[in-house]
Amino acid sequence: MATRRLTGALALVLLAGLIAADLAQSPPDPFAAPPLLAWGSGQAAGGAHCAAAPD
Amino acid sequence: MSLAADPAPRLRTLPRAGLVLGALVLCLAVAMLAGARFGLLLLIGLGLGITLEGLRFGFAGPWRAMILRRDPAGLLAQLLAIGLVAVAAFPLLASAGAELSGAHAPVGPGMILGAFAFGAAMQVVLGCGSGTLVNAGSGNPVGLVALPFFAIGSFFGALHAGWWAGLGSLPLVVFSGQAGLGLTLAALAAVAVGLLVLARPDARRLPGRLILAAALIAGLALANLVVAGQPWGVVYGLGLWVAKGAAALGTDMSALPFWSAPTHAERVQASVLTDVTSLTNIGLILGAFGVAAWRGDLARPLPRLPLRAWAATILAGLVLGYASRMAFGCNVGAFFSGISTGSLHGWVWFAAAFAGSVLGVRLRPRLGLEA
């Protein structure tokens, strides 16, 4: 009988596929990374949030 | 039987150590690939996933328990967590200027309808924004099937969000300062008292497990705010994943509403490993998987559900994603983070989604999801 091992593993495979495809498409640049904490950084928050206005 | 006579604990030690080590290596790898902030955000997401799954802290289930059994424990824990976040988030937001932002959005008919639909759909699949991710990670097949459709719905919901917002809205109302915090805490306490009055007499209690979970969730949500500069959210990242897929397939994103706006266009171009909600979403899935593997829950057999249950799961997933964009967030981005950062829309979201949940609880058995 199939168990949650199958679906749990499938979730991980899909997630790994998403990240791998994205790494190939949009490789991150660690040298352009923001400071560790936004609080105290002097940089404005990005606004990429669920409550973002539909501008 | 003593532990010494049982070889199973020893046999489980290695895989469990592997889970912890794997999680830490993953966070370190993201920190090295994308930057320290992003590794830390993945760690926060893992913590959220571990807490939600490990201590069985949820949103859809507790609302269902209140509706069907007048058991308010899980909902009281949510209010406690929101109150704990508010106590720290209100002064942080007041002092940090533009470095930190709240989950603030206006109230309007589209927002209310979206919250109602989200509440109904989350009861159909018994998974909200965070719950669907946690369910998928822990091997729940309904969560796994709903998740990609949730993401697709979120993408299309963002495209149409402007139309829904165009139906009209009240001016943005944000409670702030000591008076705003006092009002928020008083309102949370009033809802808690109301729940206790409505509760079954033998259910008027808050188990220690849920108090611990509420404190941990609050701490991690505050860490998210301080590290990311924005409150904990879920649905933005899901829609972004589909937007990135659409861009990779050659879609002209500059022609699409929402995704062509500078902030979102930049996110579509950048790595998911630098997107706040994507990282915490990934952490939620991985954290839930780790807990399920740790506890041996992955050995549970998959349920046999009728075809209409799977059709309902797909439809509910689409509604969850689409409606959460109409409503400026889900149970996390609007209800939890909205209220805890002073937005009136969080309170209206709560009322509308709870009304939708009453409908969803009744729909669920009819759709074959309790077979």
Side-chain angles (χ1 to χ4, degrees):
Chain A
M1 178 179 279
T3 68
R4 287 188 173 206
R5 281 193 190 93
L6 175 69
T7 41
L10 195 55
L12 292 193
V13 167
L14 290 172
L15 197 57
L18 171 82
I19 295 168
D22 185 67
L23 279 173
Q25 190 80 16
S26 320
D29 177 7
F31 297 101
L36 180 65
L37 303 183
W39 188 33
S41 67
Q43 297 179 356
H49 189 264
C50 327
D55 46 4
Chain B
M1 183 184 287
S2 72
L3 281 178
D6 178 8
R10 280 199 301 274
L11 290 174
R12 282 196 295 260
T13 302
L14 196 60
R16 284 178 171 179
L19 283 173
V20 174
L21 192 65
L24 293 175
V25 165
L26 211 56
C27 293
L28 195 62
V30 169
M32 291 174 69
L33 273 173
R37 179 187 292 190
F38 304 115
L40 188 54
L41 282 167
L42 180 61
L43 191 62
I44 290 168
L46 277 164
L48 288 165
I50 290 167
T51 305
L52 291 170
E53 176 69 7
L55 295 174
R56 306 223 184 266
F57 182 103
F59 290 85
W63 288 25
R64 176 183 165 89
M66 184 63 205
I67 292 165
L68 290 180
R69 301 190 301 277
R70 291 191 296 136
D71 179 352
L75 193 38
L76 289 171
Q78 293 165 21
L79 300 177
L80 174 62
I82 291 170
L84 290 171
V85 174
V87 166
F90 272 64
L92 275 174
L93 289 168
S95 66
E99 289 171 359
L100 307 184
S101 65
H104 303 153
V107 173
M111 184 249 123
I112 295 170
L113 182 63
F116 180 88
F118 187 95
M122 83 173 187
Q123 291 301 336
V124 168
V125 292
L126 258 186
C128 49
S130 51
T132 301
L133 293 165
V134 165
N135 287 345
S138 63
N140 178 329
V142 172
L144 185 63
V145 170
L147 181 56
F149 294 98
F150 193 147
I152 292 167
S154 177
F155 172 74
F156 284 102
L159 290 183
H160 302 155
W163 187 86
W164 289 105
L167 296 178
S169 61
L170 297 172
L172 184 66
V173 177
V174 177
F175 307 117
S176 60
Q178 287 192 341
L181 176 58
L183 189 63
T184 298
L185 294 179
L188 288 168
V191 173
V193 169
L195 290 171
L196 288 168
V197 169
L198 291 170
R200 275 193 347 259
D202 64 322
R204 289 174 182 147
R205 83 251 178 278
L206 187 53
R209 165 183 64 87
L210 288 177
I211 295 173
L212 174 64
L216 289 171
I217 292 291
L220 290 162
L222 279 169
N224 190 103
L225 177 64
V226 168
V227 174
Q230 65 184 47
W232 180 25
V234 169
V235 298
Y236 184 90
L238 297 179
L240 179 67
W241 296 353
V242 176
K244 289 180 73 66
L249 292 174
T251 303
D252 179 10
M253 302 303 283
S254 66
L256 298 182
F258 190 85
W259 298 109
S260 58
T263 299
H264 314 305
E266 185 192 337
R267 287 288 96 223
V268 172
Q269 292 297 319
S271 166
V272 290
L273 298 182
T274 63
D275 177 61
V276 174
T277 49
S278 293
L279 285 165
T280 46
N281 287 351
I282 291 167
L284 280 166
I285 294 172
L286 294 178
F289 177 86
V291 170
W294 185 288
R295 285 201 296 227
D297 285 351
L298 295 175
R300 289 167 63 184
L302 298 181
R304 289 181 179 276
L305 296 173
L307 192 59
R308 72 177 190 281
W310 296 113
T313 298
I314 290 170
L315 185 62
L318 288 169
V319 172
L320 283 168
Y322 191 92
S324 59
R325 295 320 314 242
M326 291 168 64
F328 297 106
C330 63
N331 57 298
V332 173
F335 170 54
F336 187 97
S337 294
I339 293 177
S340 63
T341 61
S343 182
L344 176 66
H345 99 290
W347 286 104
V348 176
W349 193 99
F350 180 27
F354 200 87
S357 281
V358 173
L359 172 67
V361 161
R362 279 149 186 76
L363 282 175
R364 184 174 158 84
R366 294 182 190 187
L367 295 169
L369 279 148
E370 290 180 8

